[in-house]
Amino acid sequence: MEIAAAYRSYVVRVLVITGAGVSAESGIPTFRGKDGYWRNLDPAKLATPEAFTRDSKLVWEWYRERRQRIRNARPNAAHEAIAKLAKHADEFLLVTQNVDDLHKRAGLATDQMVQIHGDIFVTWCSRCHVSYTGRGGSPEPADPRAVQLESGRLRSIAPTSENDVDLPLCPKCDALMRPGVVWFGEQLPWDEVQRVESYLDRGACDLVIVAGTTATFGYIIDWALRGSVLIEVNPEETPLSRFATQQVREPAAIALPRIVDQLIASPSKL
Ligand code: OAD
């Protein structure tokens, strides 16, 4: 690691928390922003288990539209800056509320990130936990019935393209499959919560960066306050702003590359 002693003593452990605002500049709508999803659509009709039971076709249509929009999108400078910071920090974890794969496509390793609200490209059986994934622009593999055993969960492979099958059925138990995301009123994925908690239990973070989120959920605020320096990147005020060491009221794709380069060059400037 080419990090100077002063720098090493400053940013050894980093936590970054992101929300929809970080993907906004890649053309992915936020939820509560001006053209946010929840401004025009009712989450109760699209992002709850009840909505899925009531009208799974409507819910799948919405998630397929979002999957296609994400496939057509590209990581932006904010995603790239976070991936760069991950390479320089001694210890690093990203907790993202985003179900898109833009952090991954920007080069962040999966063991350095937690998708706390799930992954939109996972298709998952809520009855027997068979799941399969289709990633980004990569074509979906051909044979839907090939099943491989992996870590006690059956995995199957997806049909050729999204529109082929209206409502995906589980290859094992024929139950209706759903997008692998966390819906309102549902528990967070326990293993992922444990990964965040164990990272934070291993010692206070030297730096926490929170970018592009309204910090709506209590666990986001809890985790954000587990560091000695908190930098908030958001054009707007949030419930976290009053705790921030620095409030950067700029778009993430503008602010994060600068902040990360400053951090790598000379942390004292921050
Ligand atoms: P929101 O839509 O609630 O908040 C987006 C935030 O990003 C707002 O504070 C904006 O000011 C800010 N923002 C917009 N453009 C930005 C930019 N270019 N750079 C930096 N910030 C920008 O989205 P989240 O906070 O991610 O959960 O929402 C949290 C969760 O609520 C989502 O994961 C989803 C939603 O319901 C579930 O569905 C479970």
Side-chain angles (χ1 to χ4, degrees):
M1 294 277 275
E2 72 285 354
I3 296 175
Y7 171 62
R8 185 176 288 286
S9 66
Y10 192 89
V11 270
V12 171
R13 307 195 76 234
V14 175
L15 174 70
V16 176
I17 299 176
T18 62
V22 164
S23 294
E25 291 155 277
S26 295
I28 312 292
T30 66
F31 292 90
R32 298 172 187 83
K34 188 163 63 46
D35 315 318
Y37 280 123
W38 299 153
R39 290 293 174 113
N40 319 311
L41 303 166
D42 176 357
K45 288 205 177 60
L46 291 165
T48 64
E50 297 73 25
F52 191 63
T53 312
R54 210 174 27 247
D55 189 345
S56 46
K57 210 168 176 1
L58 174 71
V59 172
W60 262 117
E61 268 156 20
W62 185 55
Y63 278 93
R64 286 198 176 119
E65 187 265 329
R66 290 178 61 191
R67 283 180 171 182
Q68 202 47 49
R69 195 190 275 261
I70 295 165
R71 283 199 186 93
N72 301 339
R74 293 273 162 277
N76 63 54
H79 299 106
E80 278 140 22
I82 292 167
K84 185 174 180 181
L85 180 57
K87 290 196 177 61
H88 281 83
D90 289 342
E91 291 185 41
F92 177 93
L93 186 71
L94 166 76
V95 177
T96 185
Q97 298 165 89
N98 301 345
V99 295
D100 65 49
D101 63 348
L102 298 179
H103 281 299
K104 227 170 272 164
R105 283 158 59 190
L108 201 60
T110 35
D111 63 359
Q112 289 191 303
M113 62 179 287
V114 167
Q115 285 192 280
I116 201 68
H117 291 163
D119 175 343
I120 198 170
F121 289 108
V122 168
T123 301
W124 184 65
C125 175
S126 44
R127 188 195 290 163
C128 71
H129 302 307
V130 154
S131 71
Y132 51 71
T133 56
R135 289 255 169 274
S138 61
E140 315 269 353
D143 173 10
R145 297 284 163 189
V147 175
Q148 298 150 0
L149 194 56
E150 188 185 304
S151 63
R153 291 173 69 177
L154 286 181
R155 266 177 74 70
S156 72
I157 301 181
T160 43
S161 77
E162 293 284 356
N163 307 320
D164 277 8
V165 180
D166 276 348
L167 295 174
L169 298 181
C170 175
K172 184 172 166 236
C173 72
D174 268 337
L176 184 56
M177 300 186 87
R178 52 169 282 180
V181 299
V182 176
W183 281 331
F184 287 96
E186 292 189 318
Q187 297 287 323
L188 295 178
W190 197 82
D191 319 0
E192 299 306 307
V193 171
Q194 288 319 305
R195 285 183 60 211
V196 180
E197 290 296 344
S198 63
Y199 179 77
L200 295 172
D201 290 348
R202 284 206 301 278
C205 292
D206 298 279
L207 174 67
V208 177
I209 299 178
V210 178
T213 180
T214 42
T216 308
F217 302 116
Y219 47 87
I220 296 297
I221 295 187
D222 284 357
W223 291 333
L225 299 181
R226 305 271 290 268
S228 28
V229 171
L230 171 59
I231 301 176
E232 180 184 56
V233 178
N234 193 322
E236 289 171 18
E237 184 97 7
T238 78
L240 266 176
S241 302
R242 61 196 176 89
F243 302 105
T245 320
Q246 277 187 36
Q247 299 168 1
V248 182
R249 298 275 167 255
E250 294 171 64
I254 306 291
L256 281 174
R258 185 187 69 243
I259 291 170
V260 168
D261 288 348
Q262 257 180 2
L263 196 60
I264 293 171
S266 54
S268 54
K269 276 219 196 75
L270 279 174

